[in-house]
mmCIF file of all heavy atoms in Angstrom:
data_model
loop_
_atom_site.group_PDB
_atom_site.id
_atom_site.type_symbol
_atom_site.label_atom_id
_atom_site.label_comp_id
_atom_site.label_asym_id
_atom_site.label_seq_id
_atom_site.Cartn_x
_atom_site.Cartn_y
_atom_site.Cartn_z
ATOM 1 N N ALA A 462 26.801 -0.091 1.872
ATOM 2 C CA ALA A 462 26.104 0.761 2.832
ATOM 3 C C ALA A 462 26.604 2.201 2.757
ATOM 4 O O ALA A 462 25.809 3.151 2.804
ATOM 5 C CB ALA A 462 26.281 0.205 4.247
ATOM 6 N N GLY A 466 24.266 5.250 1.743
ATOM 7 C CA GLY A 466 24.124 6.340 2.690
ATOM 8 C C GLY A 466 24.526 7.676 2.076
ATOM 9 O O GLY A 466 23.855 8.699 2.286
ATOM 10 N N TYR A 467 25.597 7.659 1.307
ATOM 11 C CA TYR A 467 26.037 8.893 0.630
ATOM 12 C C TYR A 467 25.002 9.351 -0.383
ATOM 13 O O TYR A 467 24.704 10.548 -0.493
ATOM 14 C CB TYR A 467 27.383 8.661 -0.050
ATOM 15 C CG TYR A 467 27.907 9.870 -0.798
ATOM 16 C CD1 TYR A 467 28.536 10.898 -0.107
ATOM 17 C CD2 TYR A 467 27.753 9.986 -2.176
ATOM 18 C CE1 TYR A 467 29.008 12.019 -0.777
ATOM 19 C CE2 TYR A 467 28.218 11.095 -2.853
ATOM 20 C CZ TYR A 467 28.843 12.110 -2.148
ATOM 21 O OH TYR A 467 29.296 13.221 -2.813
ATOM 22 N N VAL A 469 21.733 8.741 -0.377
ATOM 23 C CA VAL A 469 20.549 9.257 0.321
ATOM 24 C C VAL A 469 20.841 10.638 0.905
ATOM 25 O O VAL A 469 20.005 11.549 0.808
ATOM 26 C CB VAL A 469 20.112 8.274 1.424
ATOM 27 C CG1 VAL A 469 19.031 8.896 2.294
ATOM 28 C CG2 VAL A 469 19.620 6.974 0.806
ATOM 29 N N ALA A 470 22.022 10.803 1.498
ATOM 30 C CA ALA A 470 22.380 12.113 2.034
ATOM 31 C C ALA A 470 22.443 13.169 0.930
ATOM 32 O O ALA A 470 22.076 14.330 1.147
ATOM 33 C CB ALA A 470 23.725 12.027 2.760
ATOM 34 N N THR A 519 25.555 18.868 8.107
ATOM 35 C CA THR A 519 26.104 17.626 8.660
ATOM 36 C C THR A 519 25.095 16.887 9.535
ATOM 37 O O THR A 519 25.233 15.683 9.742
ATOM 38 C CB THR A 519 27.368 17.917 9.487
ATOM 39 O OG1 THR A 519 27.082 18.992 10.407
ATOM 40 C CG2 THR A 519 28.520 18.317 8.596
ATOM 41 N N MET A 520 24.070 17.579 10.045
ATOM 42 C CA MET A 520 23.080 16.886 10.864
ATOM 43 C C MET A 520 22.300 15.879 10.030
ATOM 44 O O MET A 520 22.127 14.710 10.424
ATOM 45 C CB MET A 520 22.130 17.885 11.514
ATOM 46 C CG MET A 520 21.026 17.232 12.338
ATOM 47 S SD MET A 520 21.652 16.200 13.693
ATOM 48 C CE MET A 520 21.904 17.438 14.960
ATOM 49 N N ALA A 521 21.811 16.290 8.875
ATOM 50 C CA ALA A 521 21.087 15.367 7.998
ATOM 51 C C ALA A 521 21.998 14.252 7.514
ATOM 52 O O ALA A 521 21.585 13.084 7.402
ATOM 53 C CB ALA A 521 20.489 16.121 6.814
ATOM 54 N N ALA A 522 23.259 14.596 7.216
ATOM 55 C CA ALA A 522 24.211 13.576 6.785
ATOM 56 C C ALA A 522 24.479 12.573 7.900
ATOM 57 O O ALA A 522 24.606 11.367 7.651
ATOM 58 C CB ALA A 522 25.516 14.241 6.340
ATOM 59 N N LEU A 523 24.559 13.061 9.141
ATOM 60 C CA LEU A 523 24.781 12.157 10.276
ATOM 61 C C LEU A 523 23.594 11.213 10.462
ATOM 62 O O LEU A 523 23.773 10.036 10.782
ATOM 63 C CB LEU A 523 25.007 12.968 11.547
ATOM 64 C CG LEU A 523 25.238 12.157 12.828
ATOM 65 C CD1 LEU A 523 26.491 11.299 12.714
ATOM 66 C CD2 LEU A 523 25.324 13.076 14.043
ATOM 67 N N GLN A 524 22.382 11.707 10.267
ATOM 68 C CA GLN A 524 21.207 10.840 10.361
ATOM 69 C C GLN A 524 21.317 9.686 9.374
ATOM 70 O O GLN A 524 21.074 8.519 9.729
ATOM 71 C CB GLN A 524 19.934 11.649 10.083
ATOM 72 C CG GLN A 524 19.620 12.677 11.143
ATOM 73 C CD GLN A 524 18.401 13.534 10.817
ATOM 74 O OE1 GLN A 524 18.122 14.515 11.489
ATOM 75 N NE2 GLN A 524 17.667 13.175 9.782
ATOM 76 N N ALA A 525 21.677 10.002 8.129
ATOM 77 C CA ALA A 525 21.838 8.947 7.122
ATOM 78 C C ALA A 525 22.955 7.992 7.512
ATOM 79 O O ALA A 525 22.831 6.771 7.335
ATOM 80 C CB ALA A 525 22.117 9.571 5.746
ATOM 81 N N ALA A 526 24.048 8.528 8.055
ATOM 82 C CA ALA A 526 25.177 7.677 8.445
ATOM 83 C C ALA A 526 24.793 6.716 9.565
ATOM 84 O O ALA A 526 25.169 5.535 9.544
ATOM 85 C CB ALA A 526 26.358 8.551 8.875
ATOM 86 N N VAL A 527 24.046 7.202 10.558
ATOM 87 C CA VAL A 527 23.635 6.337 11.674
ATOM 88 C C VAL A 527 22.711 5.232 11.166
ATOM 89 O O VAL A 527 22.862 4.060 11.535
ATOM 90 C CB VAL A 527 22.954 7.165 12.773
ATOM 91 C CG1 VAL A 527 22.336 6.254 13.833
ATOM 92 C CG2 VAL A 527 23.961 8.110 13.426
ATOM 93 N N LEU A 528 21.746 5.595 10.331
ATOM 94 C CA LEU A 528 20.822 4.579 9.814
ATOM 95 C C LEU A 528 21.556 3.518 9.017
ATOM 96 O O LEU A 528 21.402 2.304 9.269
ATOM 97 C CB LEU A 528 19.756 5.233 8.941
ATOM 98 C CG LEU A 528 18.825 4.243 8.212
ATOM 99 C CD1 LEU A 528 18.028 3.420 9.209
ATOM 100 C CD2 LEU A 528 17.910 4.970 7.245
ATOM 101 N N TRP A 529 22.385 3.926 8.067
ATOM 102 C CA TRP A 529 23.036 2.956 7.202
ATOM 103 C C TRP A 529 24.140 2.205 7.927
ATOM 104 O O TRP A 529 24.403 1.035 7.626
ATOM 105 C CB TRP A 529 23.560 3.646 5.947
ATOM 106 C CG TRP A 529 22.434 3.934 4.997
ATOM 107 C CD1 TRP A 529 21.716 5.089 4.895
ATOM 108 C CD2 TRP A 529 21.870 3.024 4.065
ATOM 109 N NE1 TRP A 529 20.751 4.950 3.947
ATOM 110 C CE2 TRP A 529 20.813 3.698 3.407
ATOM 111 C CE3 TRP A 529 22.152 1.711 3.697
ATOM 112 C CZ2 TRP A 529 20.046 3.094 2.418
ATOM 113 C CZ3 TRP A 529 21.389 1.111 2.702
ATOM 114 C CH2 TRP A 529 20.350 1.800 2.076
ATOM 115 N N GLY A 530 24.783 2.839 8.897
ATOM 116 C CA GLY A 530 25.742 2.104 9.714
ATOM 117 C C GLY A 530 25.062 1.025 10.538
ATOM 118 O O GLY A 530 25.568 -0.097 10.663
ATOM 119 N N THR A 531 23.888 1.337 11.077
ATOM 120 C CA THR A 531 23.131 0.352 11.849
ATOM 121 C C THR A 531 22.657 -0.793 10.957
ATOM 122 O O THR A 531 22.734 -1.969 11.348
ATOM 123 C CB THR A 531 21.930 1.027 12.534
ATOM 124 O OG1 THR A 531 22.394 2.096 13.364
ATOM 125 C CG2 THR A 531 21.151 0.028 13.367
ATOM 126 N N LEU A 532 22.168 -0.468 9.779
ATOM 127 C CA LEU A 532 21.721 -1.513 8.856
ATOM 128 C C LEU A 532 22.885 -2.400 8.428
ATOM 129 O O LEU A 532 22.704 -3.612 8.227
ATOM 130 C CB LEU A 532 21.048 -0.881 7.633
ATOM 131 C CG LEU A 532 19.698 -0.201 7.885
ATOM 132 C CD1 LEU A 532 19.190 0.459 6.616
ATOM 133 C CD2 LEU A 532 18.676 -1.208 8.408
ATOM 134 N N TRP A 533 24.069 -1.818 8.299
ATOM 135 C CA TRP A 533 25.244 -2.643 7.971
ATOM 136 C C TRP A 533 25.540 -3.637 9.095
ATOM 137 O O TRP A 533 25.839 -4.809 8.837
ATOM 138 C CB TRP A 533 26.470 -1.764 7.735
ATOM 139 C CG TRP A 533 27.724 -2.575 7.606
ATOM 140 C CD1 TRP A 533 28.115 -3.306 6.527
ATOM 141 C CD2 TRP A 533 28.722 -2.773 8.614
ATOM 142 N NE1 TRP A 533 29.308 -3.948 6.790
ATOM 143 C CE2 TRP A 533 29.703 -3.642 8.056
ATOM 144 C CE3 TRP A 533 28.903 -2.314 9.902
ATOM 145 C CZ2 TRP A 533 30.828 -4.040 8.770
ATOM 146 C CZ3 TRP A 533 30.020 -2.699 10.616
ATOM 147 C CH2 TRP A 533 30.963 -3.562 10.048
ATOM 148 N N THR A 565 14.545 10.094 6.184
ATOM 149 C CA THR A 565 15.948 9.926 6.581
ATOM 150 C C THR A 565 16.679 11.256 6.682
ATOM 151 O O THR A 565 17.496 11.453 7.593
ATOM 152 C CB THR A 565 16.676 9.007 5.582
ATOM 153 O OG1 THR A 565 16.057 7.722 5.592
ATOM 154 C CG2 THR A 565 18.145 8.859 5.947
ATOM 155 N N TYR A 576 16.309 6.316 15.076
ATOM 156 C CA TYR A 576 17.638 5.815 14.709
ATOM 157 C C TYR A 576 18.466 5.479 15.947
ATOM 158 O O TYR A 576 19.277 4.541 15.922
ATOM 159 C CB TYR A 576 18.359 6.840 13.836
ATOM 160 C CG TYR A 576 17.728 7.015 12.468
ATOM 161 C CD1 TYR A 576 18.168 7.987 11.583
ATOM 162 C CD2 TYR A 576 16.668 6.208 12.060
ATOM 163 C CE1 TYR A 576 17.588 8.148 10.332
ATOM 164 C CE2 TYR A 576 16.084 6.367 10.813
ATOM 165 C CZ TYR A 576 16.538 7.350 9.966
ATOM 166 O OH TYR A 576 15.956 7.499 8.734
#
Side-chain angles (χ1 to χ4, degrees):
Y467 179 80
V469 171
T519 49
M520 177 59 84
L523 179 62
Q524 293 176 189
V527 171
L528 173 63
W529 284 94
T531 303
L532 291 176
W533 171 76
T565 298
Y576 292 174

